[in-house]
Amino acid sequence: KNYSIEQLAEDTAGLLDVLGIKSVKVLGWSMGGMIAQELALNHPDKVNRLILYGSTCGGNEYVLPEQEVSSAFADKSGTASERVARITPFLFPEEWREADPNYYMAFPKSTQLTSNQTLSLELNAALSWKGSCERLQQIYRPALVAVGTDDSMIPPANSLTIAERIPGAWLVQIEDGGHGLMYQYPEKVSKMVLTFLETR
């Protein structure tokens, strides 16, 4: 069965219902931000505050990454571990990687790895999403849009578009940050998120 961004948002809404949670503060990173947008648009009562980090509103207005990045994602050869290893460097700016060559050691360790099939289904879901750019003005909850200025996976211009479309949205750009901003600057990201959540 194929995945879709819309269905993943419906799954999230269904999970909240099963857990008896009426409203949540949602942080969506990358593809998670796409899902979060659909959740906020289709189930506004379930989203109290919205944080979209390193994401895009997709569709015809999606600013694509450089060909090297797109090719790494599109390459389905090898094991799931090899595919993840191929795209991991693009999470961070080159200068930052060179300054800390063992950067990957700080990653949270998981006992389970996403399967190759699931990786492909997730990629297809993101690429086939029709987008939300023309609907974002319907989001009326407080929203924070965050991005690293050196994000090569989902270029910062995409976050600018989102922030322009959501009424009253905050926009935070972290200098020298890549797509994996929370691994580079965890203190800055934590402060940013907490400041937004604590502001009335």
Side-chain angles (χ1 to χ4, degrees):
K1 181 182 178 181
N2 290 328
Y3 293 174
S4 72
I5 298 299
E6 294 85 353
Q7 183 57 57
L8 291 169
E10 290 304 311
D11 290 346
T12 304
L15 176 62
L16 292 174
D17 288 340
V18 169
L19 295 175
I21 300 174
K22 292 184 178 180
S23 179
V24 290
K25 299 173 178 67
V26 177
L27 188 156
W29 173 48
S30 197
M31 189 177 86
M34 303 176 197
I35 298 167
Q37 290 170 62
E38 290 291 350
L39 180 67
L41 286 164
N42 298 323
H43 300 277
D45 55 315
K46 296 184 184 299
V47 178
N48 182 275
R49 285 182 179 242
L50 180 64
I51 301 172
L52 302 172
Y53 150 39
S55 195
T56 174
C57 58
N60 295 330
E61 297 185 61
Y62 178 33
V63 177
L64 296 169
E66 296 293 332
Q67 186 58 49
E68 184 183 13
V69 179
S70 298
S71 296
F73 267 95
D75 186 350
K76 298 180 181 179
S77 65
T79 64
S81 296
E82 290 168 341
R83 289 178 67 181
V84 170
R86 198 157 47 232
I87 63 175
T88 296
F90 295 110
L91 287 170
F92 309 102
E94 185 176 0
E95 287 186 11
W96 190 83
R97 296 198 314 269
E98 291 175 350
D100 185 9
N102 294 319
Y103 63 89
Y104 56 88
M105 298 299 290
F107 285 7
K109 300 300 184 290
S110 175
T111 56
Q112 292 183 322
L113 188 66
T114 303
S115 71
N116 232 338
Q117 180 184 17
T118 299
L119 283 175
S120 296
L121 289 170
E122 290 175 350
L123 178 61
N124 291 340
L127 293 177
S128 63
W129 183 44
K130 294 181 180 179
S132 65
C133 298
E134 296 179 357
R135 296 177 286 143
L136 289 179
Q137 70 276 8
Q138 299 171 24
I139 294 178
Y140 59 89
R141 299 296 190 189
L144 164 66
V145 182
V147 68
T149 59
D150 291 340
D151 191 331
S152 64
M153 283 193 173
I154 300 183
N158 292 286
S159 290
L160 298 180
T161 299
I162 294 174
E164 288 172 352
R165 302 294 174 84
I166 298 178
W170 293 21
L171 173 65
V172 176
Q173 301 178 80
I174 296 184
E175 189 173 1
D176 301 322
H179 198 61
L181 197 55
M182 69 282 203
Y183 300 118
Q184 281 182 273
Y185 304 116
E187 294 85 5
K188 287 183 179 180
V189 172
S190 295
K191 184 177 180 180
M192 171 187 72
V193 170
L194 290 173
T195 299
F196 172 69
L197 294 179
E198 293 167 358
T199 301
R200 298 191 179 277

